[in-house]
Structures are given as structure tokens and as C-alpha cells.
Amino acid sequence: MGFHISSSPHDHAPLSTSVLMRRVCYCLLPGIAMQWWYFGWGSLVQIALAVLTAYAAEGLVLKLRRRPLGVLRDNSALLTALLIGIAIPPLAPWWLVVIGTAFAIIIAKQLYGGLGQNIFNPAMVAYVLLLVSFPLPMTSWLPPLSLQHYPPGLGDALSAIFTGHTLDGFSPHQLRELADGTTMATPLDTLKTGFTQGHTASEMLNNPIFAGLAGIGWQWVNLAYLAGGLALLRLKLISWPIPVAMLATLVLLSFLGFMISPDNTAGPFIQLFSGATMLGAFFIATDPVSASTTFKGRLIYGALIGLLVYLIRTFGGYPDAIAFAVLLANLTVPMIDSLTKPATYGAQR
């Protein structure tokens, strides 16, 4: 073999789609592991169902479109499935994740032409569809295992997901009840409900789920996704403007709101480390297909998502707002890109 010398520029070949998607999936693993640790085996079962459904749905559509099945190896269906499985309550019925994942792949992705053609984030389209259509099971999150009266094992999780009851006959609703008979909700849902009933933030922070700073389990789940997000930045799989702009806007608005009305708004720490904030900032808002593509546009896009998250959480009817905020921001991307398009080098301004 000869020694080949070539002139500059010496540019590195970009990562293939399959490698990029696979690395993003790896960065999700710390958060998934933390969800399993605090919320049990149900989260892993939901993820497994989502993955199986995603590959089956994408394979079917590719077959109907007479496209090569090798497209399945790009790992985009895997990433969409992981994001949907993560967002589904651990003991939600099996058909819920199947419907959501099939809709994400067939309608929100392939109907637009496949990867790179969709204008909305497929996982968030599926989440909103399920939340609007089936609000009760989609908001029935279990309390952390340490607060559960009857923590379910793997067999109980499988039985509850496929039959509606654990091996001992408990329903998911009964598992959500604490020893004193009160039904546990997520930290953001607890705050939202308490504010509508006239309670103050300091009163609701006495709830058992707030024994931690932003909710038992939830703060560690968010920290794990933050670690995965920082890994994405370190590997240069995403750029910093969107997550930084989103989180900075959310912190600024929540700080101002807390200073103005501390009894009726959640503080910055709860806004940052509860719900799906870190997952949304690093793994959802940064979707390269549906997000803005210019530098200034990404800052505006991220700030818009942060603004919408705060407004919906504070004044809207849903406790968390990541999916709605991302989809609404997706609508503005063409205009944002048009207004922030950099001038061609040498062009007259």
C-alpha cells in the first residue's frame, strides 16, 4: 500500500445517522437507569414494548412503501421508542404505549416522508395524542418505590401492564395510595392541584413526595438526564444554544415569578429538576430535524420553549408542558430560520 498525500482542507467525515442515533440512545441510559431505580420495572417494560412496536410499525411502512428494510438500522425508530417509553407511566396498560408508538412512527414520521422530512417531533406528537385522548392513565404515575405501600416487582409490573392487576390483585390505583389512604401524584401535579385549591407553596412542600428538593426520585432522574445531556455536548452530538437558552429562560421566569408571588408559584429548582425538564432540554428540544438550524434561531427557539414551558406549567391546565411547548415551537421554526438566516459571504446587506 502506498502512502497517499492530499492537500488541505482536511475535513473529517460526519457521523452516520445510525452511529449518531445510537450514541444519543447511550446517553439516555443514565436517566433510564434512574427511572428504573425509583419507579420500578414498569418503566423498562414500557420501553421494551415501545421498541418492539416502533420496529414493527416502521418495518410495515417500509414494506408498503417498497423501501429497503435496511433503513431500520439507522436507529431513529429506536430513539423515538425510547423517548415514548420513558414518558409513559410505569404501570400504564400495554395498549397505551403501542398506540402512541405506532402513531409516532406511521403518522408523525413516515407519513411526512420518513426521517428528515417530519416537521414535528414524532415522540412528542405521540405523547400529546395519548395525553389528550387518555388523560387518566397518562397521568397515573406511581410514587417512588420508597413511598409505596406495596412496591411491585417485575412479575407484578408485567401483570399490571397486561391485565390491570398485580399478582397479588392490586390495581395501579391502589399502588398509588400511601399507607394513610391518600393518592400520590407527581411533584408538578401536586403543586398544580394545590394552587387551584388555594394552598400555598410552603404548605404543599410538606407533602411526602417533597422530602427531597424537587421531589423524591424526580430530582435524581433529572440530574441523570442532565449528565446524559452534558455527554451529548461533550461528544458534539448536539450544540449548546437550545438547551442553554431553554433552561436559562425557565430559570429567569421562575425566579421572577417566585419573587413576585412566592406562595403561588414553583421556584426555579422545582422547575428545573422535576418533570421532564432535563430530558426535554437535551434530548427532545434538540431534535435536528424539527428544531431551528441557525445559531440565532436556536437561541430564539430554545428561549421560546422555556417561555412556553413556564406559561403552561403556571397558567395552563397541565402540570408538565414539555411536549406542548416543543410542538408549538416546531410550528415557528420556518419563520425563525427565515428571519435569522445568515447573509451569504460577500453579499450586500
Side-chain angles (χ1 to χ4, degrees), residues 241-293:
I242 292 176
V244 169
M246 173 187 163
L247 296 177
T249 303
L250 184 58
V251 168
L252 176 62
L253 293 176
S254 58
F255 176 76
L256 292 176
F258 187 74
M259 293 297 292
I260 296 171
S261 181
D263 289 334
N264 299 308
T265 55
F269 199 90
I270 293 176
Q271 293 280 7
L272 280 180
F273 296 103
S274 192
T277 303
M278 293 301 170
L279 177 67
F282 291 97
F283 293 93
I284 297 173
T286 55
D287 173 25
V289 177
S290 56
S292 179
T293 57

Side-chain angles (χ1 to χ4, degrees), residues 82-142:
L82 289 180
L83 293 175
I84 295 174
I86 288 167
I88 300 293
L91 298 187
W94 64 270
W95 48 264
L96 199 69
V97 69
V98 170
I99 291 174
T101 308
F103 188 87
I105 297 298
I106 297 174
I107 305 298
K109 179 184 176 183
Q110 290 293 341
L111 192 63
Y112 283 92
L115 181 64
Q117 306 299 319
N118 51 286
I119 61 174
F120 297 106
N121 185 295
M124 294 301 96
V125 171
Y127 181 83
V128 168
L129 167 77
L130 296 177
L131 184 60
V132 172
S133 303
F134 312 102
L136 182 59
M138 281 298 292
T139 55
S140 298
W141 276 84
L142 293 176

Side-chain angles (χ1 to χ4, degrees), residues 3-69:
F3 180 70
H4 298 281
I5 299 176
S6 59
S7 62
S8 61
H10 304 289
D11 193 17
H12 295 284
L15 293 176
S16 65
T17 301
S18 62
V19 173
L20 187 149
M21 295 289 180
R22 184 169 65 247
R23 291 184 181 181
V24 174
C25 292
Y26 289 155
C27 292
L28 280 170
L29 293 180
I32 293 174
M34 202 60 66
Q35 281 192 222
W36 165 75
W37 180 261
Y38 280 101
F39 298 102
W41 290 96
S43 295
L44 298 186
V45 176
Q46 300 290 357
I47 290 172
L49 287 172
V51 171
L52 291 175
T53 304
Y55 276 108
E58 183 135 295
L60 175 62
V61 175
L62 291 174
K63 189 75 172 177
L64 293 174
R65 295 179 61 192
R66 298 180 180 178
R67 297 283 303 280
L69 293 180

Side-chain angles (χ1 to χ4, degrees), residues 192 195 264-266 271 309-316 318-319:
K192 173 71 72 175
F195 288 144
N264 299 308
T265 55
Q271 293 280 7
V309 167
Y310 179 76
L311 291 177
I312 296 172
R313 284 181 176 178
T314 305
F315 305 106
Y318 292 94

Side-chain angles (χ1 to χ4, degrees), residues 94-268:
W94 64 270
W95 48 264
L96 199 69
V97 69
V98 170
I99 291 174
T101 308
F103 188 87
I105 297 298
I106 297 174
I107 305 298
K109 179 184 176 183
Q110 290 293 341
L111 192 63
Y112 283 92
L115 181 64
Q117 306 299 319
N118 51 286
I119 61 174
F120 297 106
N121 185 295
M124 294 301 96
V125 171
Y127 181 83
V128 168
L129 167 77
L130 296 177
L131 184 60
V132 172
S133 303
F134 312 102
L136 182 59
M138 281 298 292
T139 55
S140 298
W141 276 84
L142 293 176
L145 293 178
S146 60
L147 296 179
Q148 292 183 41
H149 200 193
Y150 304 101
L154 176 57
D156 291 316
L158 288 168
S159 180
I161 290 170
F162 287 100
T163 69
H165 294 84
T166 66
L167 297 176
D168 294 326
F170 294 106
S171 68
H173 178 75
Q174 290 173 312
L175 294 176
R176 293 178 63 214
E177 292 184 352
L178 302 181
D180 60 3
T182 60
T183 300
M184 178 63 67
T186 64
L188 290 176
D189 194 29
T190 299
L191 286 173
K192 173 71 72 175
T193 303
F195 288 144
T196 59
Q197 294 175 348
H199 298 296
T200 64
S202 57
E203 290 174 341
M204 287 180 289
L205 290 177
N206 293 323
N207 189 292
I209 201 171
F210 285 109
L213 294 175
I216 296 177
W218 292 95
Q219 58 203 14
W220 294 107
V221 170
N222 273 277
L223 286 170
Y225 284 122
L226 172 60
L230 294 177
L232 290 178
L233 292 173
R234 179 68 179 83
L235 295 171
K236 298 182 179 180
L237 299 177
I238 62 173
S239 56
W240 63 266
I242 292 176
V244 169
M246 173 187 163
L247 296 177
T249 303
L250 184 58
V251 168
L252 176 62
L253 293 176
S254 58
F255 176 76
L256 292 176
F258 187 74
M259 293 297 292
I260 296 171
S261 181
D263 289 334
N264 299 308
T265 55

Side-chain angles (χ1 to χ4, degrees), residues 329-349:
N330 287 161
L331 288 171
T332 68
V333 166
M335 182 180 68
I336 291 175
D337 282 351
S338 176
L339 295 176
T340 60
K341 181 172 61 176
T344 305
Y345 181 75
Q348 185 177 2
R349 291 182 179 273

